[in-house]
Amino acid sequence: MVAVANREDLKLSIRGLAGIRPLLCNLFPLVLVGILVLSPGLIAPAVASSLPRPASFEPDIGFWKSIFGTYSRNQVVLHDNRHLGIVYMVLDFRPADDPGRVLDRKERRAREKRVEREQKRIEAALERLHRFAGRPPEMTPLEARVRDRVTRVSSGLNYAKASGRVRAQSGLRESFSAGLVRQSGYLAEMEAIFRNKGLPVSLARMPLVESCFDVDAYSKVGAAGVWQFMPRTGRQYLKINSALDERRDPIRATEAAAEHLRRDHEALGSWPLAVTAYNHGRGGMQRAIRSHGSDFESMVRNYRGRRFGFASRNFYIELLAAIDVARDADSYFGELAKLEAPALRDVKLRRSMRLQDAARHVGVPREQLLATNPAFLRRVRYGVDRIPRGYRLWVPRSPRDASLATRRRDLGRASAGKAEPRVVVHRVSRGQTLGGIARRYGSTVQEIQKMNGVRNPRRIQAGQDLIIPLG
């Protein structure tokens, strides 16, 4: 049985509460704030502060700003790979007829030989400066220039060690400016994704460092899309199979990258470490912290991890430079074209279907559906594989949006103008071999394997559909 207080007890209790009412009124706002802080789902996340920018990185940031915004693909900068402010010389291979054009094979070979020759000359100059403590007799003009470049940055630099750090870096002006144009059609959506997660919005510029925002980018080691996700990491967040590769969808890949970066930041505790982990791996950065501590400036200058090489050391610095160049793009490149983003809605498929059927299902032409869904791989595009049940299609809201999506796709690719190969779909019959099929269509076994993801040419089955590039 529950005891009930008598009337006098209740009166005393009420009078006691009346005495503390002012205190409760003063405490209530603080309690409410505490509830909101402890319950992030009740309010939108606060946008994180800007990315830290240590003063000691400024010479290195300046180097990458020159690479992204000043030097052409046909200019090669020879520099110290630890102290990027030490630039020994800039070799210029820009053709008179078109300074930014891609060099032909003969011109590229001549460039390689010249770069190698000048690199060896600089190394020899540094070795001689070391031998004579920086004051060789009858100093050559090159030795004088090298000594001058070194002493501007560090008077106590070891010339012998510097001779093993001479590196060549080509300019990226053309690729970077094209990447800015390509990203312009996606940037507002990408920034909104980071803002809504409470992450620094400037992280949306990372694909300029990763791929110069090339939707079709594939690396030799299997990374794909503007964010260059590796398959293993990408599958944590995205659909990747023979029909679809959402790493190629800039918006869905951005959603994945934002979540991945959020987790890295949560695990590592700072944005320089989290951004570098995107290149070096979360586990790699945790090993670096255990070995060297979490001081990022010191880590970049002094950590000698086996795989913590030039790319990892410079990844965060490159991002800071890319943010600067993107912000001041007009002063670097003049007025660049801007791609308008189409308005899209997503439609979830209740059953698997081929591309043509899906286009009819949502009421848009096949080509428009291809323009808005860059994740579709060849086997979907050519009708070999179905789009899986549950996939969320991007569908244009109006004919104008369809036109904008097509323009964004066509102008937003590094390989714009590169036509799809002519193909046929061949159903394998009993007893057929990949070699025989290749000869029938004037193709090659290697081309068929590459287009269909066939690793072992002997393992094809009757009834299997293959996409055959025509010879």
Side-chain angles (χ1 to χ4, degrees), residues 39-64:
S39 306
L42 297 177
I43 56 173
V47 176
S49 60
S50 60
L51 301 177
R53 188 180 177 117
S56 67
F57 287 171
E58 289 302 330
D60 302 48
I61 294 170
F63 171 85
W64 285 111

Side-chain angles (χ1 to χ4, degrees), residues 23 68 136 151 156 244 322 345 407 439:
L23 178 60
F68 294 148
T151 54
L244 302 165
R345 58 191 176 94
R407 183 171 186 268
R439 285 191 296 274

Side-chain angles (χ1 to χ4, degrees), residues 74-118:
N74 295 322
Q75 291 174 291
V76 179
V77 181
L78 296 176
H79 66 97
D80 185 292
N81 71 14
R82 283 276 174 184
H83 303 273
L84 304 190
I86 300 177
V87 173
Y88 297 114
M89 66 174 64
V90 178
L91 303 177
D92 199 339
F93 302 95
R94 289 176 293 179
D97 60 331
D98 181 1
R101 71 168 170 81
V102 177
L103 301 181
D104 61 34
R105 186 175 179 179
K106 183 179 179 181
E107 290 170 325
R108 289 197 302 272
R109 183 61 185 148
R111 182 178 70 175
E112 289 169 8
K113 288 182 177 180
R114 172 87 188 281
V115 169
E116 185 179 354
R117 185 168 65 250
E118 295 298 340

Side-chain angles (χ1 to χ4, degrees), residues 107-329:
E107 290 170 325
R108 289 197 302 272
R109 183 61 185 148
R111 182 178 70 175
E112 289 169 8
K113 288 182 177 180
R114 172 87 188 281
V115 169
E116 185 179 354
R117 185 168 65 250
E118 295 298 340
Q119 196 165 343
K120 288 180 178 178
R121 288 181 65 225
I122 293 169
E123 290 167 354
L126 285 163
E127 288 167 1
R128 190 162 185 265
L129 286 166
H130 171 70
R131 195 179 312 125
F132 291 99
R135 293 182 177 82
E138 300 179 359
M139 188 182 300
T140 68
L142 176 60
E143 290 166 350
R145 184 202 303 174
V146 166
R147 189 179 71 170
D148 176 62
R149 298 294 190 273
V150 168
T151 54
R152 283 185 196 177
V153 175
S154 176
S155 57
L157 195 75
N158 185 305
Y159 289 110
K161 290 182 178 179
S163 69
R165 297 198 304 260
V166 182
R167 180 179 179 274
Q169 172 67 52
S170 297
L172 292 167
R173 175 183 168 83
E174 295 84 1
S175 298
F176 195 90
S177 60
L180 287 173
V181 174
R182 290 192 288 269
Q183 191 180 33
S184 66
Y186 299 91
L187 184 60
E189 296 167 85
M190 294 173 68
E191 289 182 336
I193 289 167
F194 282 95
R195 188 177 296 111
N196 292 339
K197 278 188 172 287
L199 308 180
V201 172
S202 52
L203 292 172
R205 292 300 192 178
M206 277 178 61
L208 292 170
V209 177
E210 280 285 356
S211 66
C212 283
F213 208 89
D214 180 2
V215 176
D216 297 325
Y218 278 92
S219 76
K220 293 178 181 178
V221 294
V226 299
W227 284 96
Q228 287 291 280
F229 271 112
M230 292 292 287
R232 182 178 177 182
T233 307
R235 286 192 178 96
Q236 297 177 34
Y237 314 97
L238 301 164
K239 292 180 175 66
I240 304 172
N241 52 46
S242 65
L244 302 165
D245 189 346
E246 288 188 320
R247 296 177 297 170
R248 293 167 48 86
D249 184 323
I251 299 305
R252 296 216 169 115
T254 298
E255 291 170 349
E259 177 59 21
H260 190 71
L261 285 162
R262 185 195 67 76
R263 294 181 188 181
D264 281 343
H265 183 263
E266 187 177 75
L268 300 169
S270 80
W271 282 117
L273 293 171
V275 169
T276 305
Y278 197 88
N279 176 271
H280 190 59
R282 190 181 305 160
M285 293 307 295
Q286 287 170 333
R287 285 191 295 275
I289 292 169
R290 287 194 297 270
S291 169
H292 194 80
S294 59
D295 183 332
F296 186 68
E297 289 183 73
S298 176
M299 185 183 292
V300 166
R301 299 303 181 205
N302 303 308
Y303 178 54
R304 296 295 192 270
R306 186 164 57 90
R307 295 184 178 178
F308 195 72
F310 183 83
S312 296
R313 288 199 310 271
N314 281 275
F315 193 73
Y316 182 73
I317 294 168
E318 288 182 62
L319 173 60
L320 297 178
I323 292 167
D324 282 0
V325 175
R327 183 192 61 230
D328 302 325

